[in-house]
Amino acid sequence: ALPTAIGAPAGATQHPALVRALDQVRQHALADGGILPWLGLPFALRDGGLSASALPCLAGGAKAFRLKRKPDTDDWLAALRALERSAREGLERLHELEKYHRNAQRAIVDAFRPGALPRLLALTHHRPLLSPQGVADALALSVAGASKLLERAVAADLLVEITQRRSWRLFLPPDLAVEFGYAASKRGRPAKEPPPLPASRNLAVAFDAFDEEMAAIDKLLTSARGTKLSSP
């Protein structure tokens, strides 16, 4: 909840909803010197009708909001440009996530015996940094079985191992491995994405099962977080 001192000033409706959302963050930043105002921007954008839900990638603000009573034009432009940059980066991440989902579908179809591979790929959508122990705990597998499953995903170019220690291995999807500097980006023109798989009843059943796995993993992780938060 916002402090009671924060409200819409006279004539606020004359300004665009985006400016009103940023001004709400500015007022909050003057009242609270912590990180909370920056975390509140996604909610202000949602409440202003600028997004359907609160998008974490849009958290942020401008230093001038906290240091100046009346930010000047350059300060407002800096905040708008930073927000635009965050939105573009978030959109690129969404494109990569959707691409990963399509690649996961192809890998499941190509696998002779998918086994637990769909569950691993569903888990990767929710928890992209993976370790054999973490996968074993989440999917009720042995550590050895989780290691073999991760190696299958690496062989299918769906994961990249970012450590070389056999006793402490970590894996990331390829796009995140490149972004965080664990893998080199491919040079030249981007590879052309394979055409969509032809529609068929068998594929529809496989894809529906994969989406159900993703929903089940999401429910499992949500309940696990709730248990940890409620424990003393």
Side-chain angles (χ1 to χ4, degrees):
L2 292 172
T4 55
I6 297 176
T13 55
Q14 299 175 8
H15 298 284
L18 180 56
V19 173
R20 297 201 301 270
L22 288 171
D23 186 66
Q24 179 177 306
V25 173
R26 180 192 66 84
Q27 294 184 60
H28 197 181
L30 289 173
D32 186 330
I35 196 176
L36 193 59
W38 302 156
L39 298 178
L41 179 56
F43 298 94
L45 295 171
R46 179 202 61 188
D47 295 344
L50 296 168
S51 65
S53 59
L55 303 174
C57 65
L58 299 182
K63 189 181 296 185
F65 288 176
R66 181 166 290 153
L67 302 179
K68 296 182 179 180
R69 276 289 163 187
K70 292 184 178 181
D72 55 31
T73 302
D74 290 340
D75 298 323
W76 287 102
L77 286 175
L80 290 170
R81 287 168 181 157
L83 182 61
E84 179 190 17
R85 184 168 58 252
S86 297
R88 289 185 182 276
E89 291 174 353
L91 191 58
E92 290 175 4
R93 180 66 52 234
L94 177 61
H95 288 330
E96 291 292 343
L97 189 60
E98 291 173 339
K99 179 181 176 182
Y100 189 88
H101 186 265
R102 294 191 295 271
N103 291 340
Q105 289 179 327
R106 293 189 183 96
I108 293 169
V109 171
D110 291 341
F112 177 66
R113 291 180 178 176
L117 185 62
R119 297 178 65 206
L120 172 66
L121 300 179
L123 176 65
T124 307
H125 280 74
H126 298 286
R127 185 181 293 173
L129 181 61
L130 298 169
S131 68
Q133 185 65 61
V135 172
D137 293 341
L139 304 184
L141 300 172
S142 66
V143 175
S147 296
K148 293 179 180 179
L149 188 59
L150 288 164
E151 289 169 0
R152 287 184 65 186
V154 171
D157 294 327
L158 292 170
L159 289 176
V160 173
E161 185 171 0
I162 62 174
T163 57
Q164 300 301 322
R165 302 178 183 179
R166 305 302 297 178
S167 60
W168 187 57
R169 306 172 71 187
L170 291 173
F171 300 80
L172 276 174
D175 63 306
L176 294 181
V178 170
E179 180 154 343
F180 291 121
Y182 291 108
S185 58
K186 296 180 180 179
R187 297 185 177 182
R189 293 183 178 181
K192 187 176 181 181
E193 188 173 351
L197 294 169
S200 72
R201 183 176 182 83
N202 290 338
L203 287 180
V205 171
F207 292 167
D208 288 344
F210 181 43
D211 290 339
E212 289 173 2
E213 290 281 4
M214 290 185 61
I217 290 292
D218 186 27
K219 184 177 180 180
L220 175 66
L221 296 177
T222 301
S223 62
R225 285 194 295 266
T227 301
K228 290 181 180 179
L229 289 174
S230 61
S231 62

